[in-house]
Amino acid sequence: MASTDVPLHHDDDGQRARLVELVSGIEPWDDLERSHREAAVQWIAGGAPVYRVRKPDVPVMHLVCYFVVLDETRGRQLLVAHRRAGLWLPAGGHVEPGEDPWAAVVRECQEELGIEAVASPVTGELPFFLTVTRTRAPGVHTDVSLWYLLDAGVDTVTSWDRGEFDAIRWLSEEQVLQEPEEFLDPHMHRFTRKLQHARTMRQSG
């Protein structure tokens, strides 16, 4: 049975169908992303709880949106020092019950960085990358993360949520790839290589 043919359940069929469509539309970068995409489709379509209803880990698997802010002119991407995770990550947050993931990006971008979410021309308002990641203690759980691309200049981000982040950094893709993986989201290098490839394809096309 194809992943998109998995039967849906309960009274939130429309929301689940939309999420399955979003996830299925992501072109996998590698075998790991392909397996994560398949697992996410099965999870969403199978009727399991999708949205977090209580911090930090209820249910133990729930939907998250990352948004990677890109300054294409300067060739930089924004990472934040996340207090709870103890890692450098893209900004992001949990999708609220019934909320469209892009709406979550718009809301969280304003809350965390104080700027309007402007979709990157690379993907528009669609997710670019997908990961399924078990978080660190305390409150260990699994994040199913949709990674979005946003467009903003370095000079436009003048403040951030200091309750969530210790600092922010604008890094080139080469600098991100030079960072030790243990200091970053575990999929950050893979994301960056996928972004480099997508940019090369756009320029050559």
Side-chain angles (χ1 to χ4, degrees):
M1 177 182 288
S3 61
T4 53
D5 294 333
V6 177
L8 301 173
H9 304 282
H10 307 310
D11 58 0
D12 57 351
D13 285 2
Q15 294 173 7
R16 289 183 185 273
R18 169 61 175 159
L19 291 175
V20 166
E21 181 182 19
L22 282 175
V23 170
S24 299
I26 298 171
E27 186 66 31
W29 167 242
D30 54 16
D31 288 343
L32 180 57
E33 187 172 14
R34 185 172 290 103
S35 68
H36 283 182
R37 185 183 68 171
E38 183 68 20
V41 167
Q42 295 288 338
W43 168 68
I44 295 165
V50 172
Y51 306 104
R52 189 182 71 172
V53 295
R54 188 168 72 248
K55 297 180 180 181
D57 57 357
V58 180
V60 294
M61 188 169 181
H62 49 252
L63 191 64
V64 171
C65 286
Y66 273 153
F67 45 94
V68 184
V69 182
L70 305 173
D71 184 328
E72 295 285 3
T73 301
R74 295 176 174 86
R76 295 290 186 270
Q77 63 188 51
L78 180 68
L79 294 182
V80 300
H82 197 279
R83 290 180 182 271
R84 181 181 293 273
L87 298 170
W88 286 94
L89 312 170
H94 293 84
V95 182
E96 298 292 339
E99 185 178 35
D100 182 80
W102 173 252
V105 169
V106 172
R107 173 178 55 78
E108 291 282 354
C109 187
Q110 183 63 50
E111 291 175 3
E112 294 189 346
L113 301 177
I115 62 171
E116 177 185 358
V118 177
S120 167
V122 175
T123 54
E125 297 177 3
L126 297 175
F128 174 73
F129 190 56
L130 172 83
T131 58
V132 179
T133 310
R134 190 167 175 81
T135 67
R136 295 180 172 186
V140 175
H141 58 275
T142 298
D143 284 340
V144 178
S145 303
L146 300 173
W147 298 50
Y148 288 79
L149 305 180
L150 300 184
D151 189 18
V154 168
D155 296 337
T156 65
V157 181
T158 58
S159 63
W160 61 90
D161 184 347
R162 296 179 185 274
E164 293 274 351
F165 315 138
D166 287 317
I168 66 172
R169 297 167 69 192
W170 289 91
L171 301 176
S172 68
E173 290 164 3
E174 292 73 18
Q175 288 173 322
V176 172
L177 293 173
Q178 290 168 2
E179 284 286 311
E181 290 188 354
E182 60 265 30
F183 297 156
L184 304 172
D185 178 279
H187 304 287
M188 199 70 219
H189 284 184
R190 294 175 51 247
F191 161 80
T192 302
R193 292 190 181 97
K194 184 177 183 179
L195 180 60
Q196 287 178 325
H197 178 75
R199 185 175 289 110
T200 298
M201 294 300 292
R202 287 183 74 239
Q203 291 171 348
S204 63

